[in-house]
Amino acid sequence: MLWAAVAISSTLISHSGYHLPFLSSPEKHDFHHKYFNVNYGTLGLLDYLHGTDVKFRKNVAFLRDHAFFSLTPMREQIPEPAKRAA
């Protein structure tokens, strides 16, 4: 019963799209939906072993992929890099 509660909570947090304080980050899952050939696993170990997280690790979303303990949104703490003018 406890496992089911944890699994459902994790699924709700991952699919909410919100990076809430004190909870796990949805960044990895959001990146998976943006690029369908990355971040298949739940814990990330198999993604690391098979190299399906290389694109994610090179992206700024990887820096945001952790729980935070502030009320400042993570996208403000670690903003997107400025785009270069062509």
Side-chain angles (χ1 to χ4, degrees), residues 8-57:
I8 291 170
S9 298
S10 175
T11 301
L12 290 173
I13 292 167
S14 294
H15 285 93
S16 73
Y18 292 106
H19 197 151
L20 302 171
F22 307 105
L23 298 176
S24 61
S25 167
E27 295 290 336
K28 189 179 299 180
H29 194 81
D30 290 347
F31 201 80
H32 165 73
H33 281 282
K34 187 174 181 179
Y35 303 102
F36 293 104
N37 58 349
V38 296
N39 296 348
Y40 298 110
T42 319
L43 301 175
L45 177 62
L46 291 176
D47 286 314
Y48 177 76
L49 291 174
H50 294 284
T52 55
D53 67 344
V54 173
K55 185 184 262 187
F56 177 66
R57 289 181 175 277

Side-chain angles (χ1 to χ4, degrees), residues 19 25 27 60-67 74-75 78-80:
H19 197 151
S25 167
E27 295 290 336
V60 70
F62 178 70
L63 300 175
R64 297 184 193 130
D65 188 41
H66 62 275
M74 188 58 79
R75 292 187 186 265
I78 306 173
E80 293 286 333

